[in-house]
Amino acid sequence: MSLRHKDLLGLEPLSSEEIALVLDTAEPCKQIFDRQVKKFPTLRGKVIVNLFYEASTRTRTSFEVAGKWMSADVVNISASASSVTKGESLTDTAKTLEALGADVVVIRHRHAGAAHLIARAVRARVINAGDGWHEHPTQGLLDLFTIREKKGRIQGLTVVIVGDILHSRVARSNIIGLTKLGARVRVAGPPTLMPLGLRELGVEVYHDLDAALEGADVINVLRIQRERQKKGLFPSLREYVRLYGVTKERLRRAKEDVMIMHPGPANLGVEIAQDVVEDERSVVREQVKNGVAVRMALLYLMSGGEPRELQPAD
Ligand code: CP
């Protein structure tokens, strides 16, 4: 079994078997954290370009660490320091990077479809690191990996995603991945921050967070994008915190061992309380670590690697 696709543009085109393959391959990759020499020789000679048109700490750094631990050469480009500022188009930039030897282009862009656009223009493999409101597939994969690692399964779990579902690429990739792997997904948030068509995706929609949390195994808290309030999509931050802020008090509705997730960056005291992030049931830091393992696995599989041949360098 291998990944059939040239690119990773979203979780939508992946089968449940392909998602499971990435998660299975990430397991040996994660063991690298316990090794003194953090190196797999497998991507020696490959060039990975991180092309980020939007700010990022976790995704950009973890792709860089993942590429380096797989022995690839990693180049980071931010839009502000590239010829984009002189008017170069996205496809021209991608073709230039390919001419410079890029085997993989990892792109983050504020517009949905940016990764698709360059994937059509170059032979290099393209990984979507977040495009507008569309998808953030590697975040979806690392969230699935973290749930499976901690809970032992995904099938049959009740997962609550709370916040701005409408504008969240993290929510979209999570919903697609979780439903493919058999979880029961509930989303909670204000009606103005819910997209249409959620029920058709097999998702249960709640506007009352307390009701959504009844019996939940996992809660994934989304960052509230403050600029949405200026556009009148919710009345005030104070009101949002009262209705949807995740506090220890509120978590009593969920199962005792509920797992607490946040993709970061978090607005502490807004969508999630500081003591919830620091709670022993929180896996927020583990998600960041798992981001490296999952991205290593992806880079390896997308370069034609066979999971059983994945061996660390001595
Ligand atoms: N979760 C996530 O995408 O974080 P960054 O914006 O820091 O990459």
Side-chain angles (χ1 to χ4, degrees):
M1 166 96 197
S2 60
L3 287 182
R4 289 176 293 126
H5 314 270
K6 172 175 105 51
D7 310 296
L8 180 75
L9 305 177
L11 293 192
E12 185 86 69
L14 296 196
S15 65
S16 54
E17 291 78 17
E18 286 173 314
I19 293 175
L21 175 70
V22 178
L23 308 190
D24 292 346
T25 309
E27 280 181 14
C29 291
K30 189 166 179 191
Q31 290 167 13
I32 201 169
F33 278 97
D34 302 325
R35 293 180 66 93
Q36 226 163 13
V37 179
K38 294 181 172 53
K39 247 351 167 203
F40 283 83
T42 34
L43 297 187
R44 202 177 283 147
K46 300 274 185 201
V47 177
I48 298 166
V49 178
N50 281 326
L51 179 58
F52 276 62
Y53 289 80
E54 261 190 352
S56 167
T57 302
R58 291 151 200 78
T59 312
R60 197 199 59 72
T61 310
S62 60
F63 266 113
E64 181 173 355
V65 171
K68 287 181 171 167
W69 285 359
M70 300 297 274
S71 304
D73 295 310
V74 183
V75 180
N76 294 308
I77 300 179
S78 64
S80 59
S82 75
S83 291
V84 168
T85 55
K86 301 178 195 163
E88 187 170 60
S89 74
L90 190 55
T91 48
D92 264 353
T93 302
K95 284 178 181 172
T96 304
L97 296 174
E98 186 170 53
L100 289 167
D103 297 290
V104 180
V105 179
V106 179
I107 177 168
R108 170 170 289 188
H109 201 283
R110 68 182 183 285
H111 290 308
H116 288 72
L117 188 73
I118 69 163
R120 282 197 294 271
V122 296
R123 280 189 302 277
R125 291 173 177 272
V126 176
I127 300 179
N128 180 3
D131 63 330
W133 307 351
H134 172 234
E135 275 219 49
H136 192 348
T138 59
Q139 180 71 43
L141 288 168
L142 79 87
D143 289 343
L144 292 170
F145 181 84
T146 307
I147 295 172
R148 199 180 76 164
E149 181 183 53
K150 298 286 175 201
K151 294 283 181 189
R153 68 191 165 101
I154 291 173
Q155 174 91 34
L157 293 180
T158 298
V159 180
V160 176
I161 304 172
V162 57
D164 179 356
I165 310 295
L166 176 64
H167 301 99
S168 175
R169 54 198 180 204
V170 174
R172 194 171 156 75
S173 290
N174 263 267
I175 289 169
I176 293 168
L178 286 163
T179 50
K180 281 188 192 225
L181 296 191
R184 179 177 176 193
V185 182
R186 298 174 180 167
V187 295
T192 47
L193 296 178
M194 288 286 171
L196 296 172
L198 282 168
R199 289 190 179 87
E200 287 70 26
L201 290 174
V203 172
E204 296 168 44
V205 179
Y206 289 78
H207 302 305
D208 176 348
L209 177 58
D210 294 324
L213 280 172
E214 288 294 342
D217 296 288
V218 178
I219 177 167
N220 196 349
V221 187
L222 303 174
R223 180 172 76 89
I224 196 74
Q225 300 172 40
R226 289 165 188 252
E227 61 275 19
R228 307 291 173 219
Q229 193 212 330
K230 295 194 193 98
K231 292 185 178 164
L233 291 175
F234 58 93
S236 71
L237 270 189
R238 190 187 301 181
E239 193 68 359
Y240 185 88
V241 173
R242 190 176 69 77
L243 293 172
Y244 298 106
V246 176
T247 57
K248 281 205 172 173
E249 173 69 26
R250 195 156 245 158
L251 284 176
R252 292 207 185 109
R253 304 246 175 184
K255 283 192 180 153
E256 216 175 313
D257 64 347
V258 65
M259 193 173 117
I260 303 153
M261 308 179 79
H262 192 304
N267 296 299
L268 297 176
V270 181
E271 71 265 8
I272 191 164
Q274 170 97 45
D275 62 354
V276 173
V277 172
E278 303 304 337
D279 190 279
E280 60 183 15
R281 296 165 296 176
S282 161
V283 293
V284 169
R285 312 286 175 230
E286 205 63 24
Q287 283 174 269
V288 176
K289 207 165 163 178
N290 289 341
V292 177
V294 162
R295 289 170 179 124
M296 285 173 73
L298 256 181
L299 291 170
Y300 178 68
L301 292 168
M302 289 182 71
S303 303
E306 286 291 329
R308 64 179 174 279
E309 289 167 7
L310 190 58
Q311 296 292 342
D314 287 321

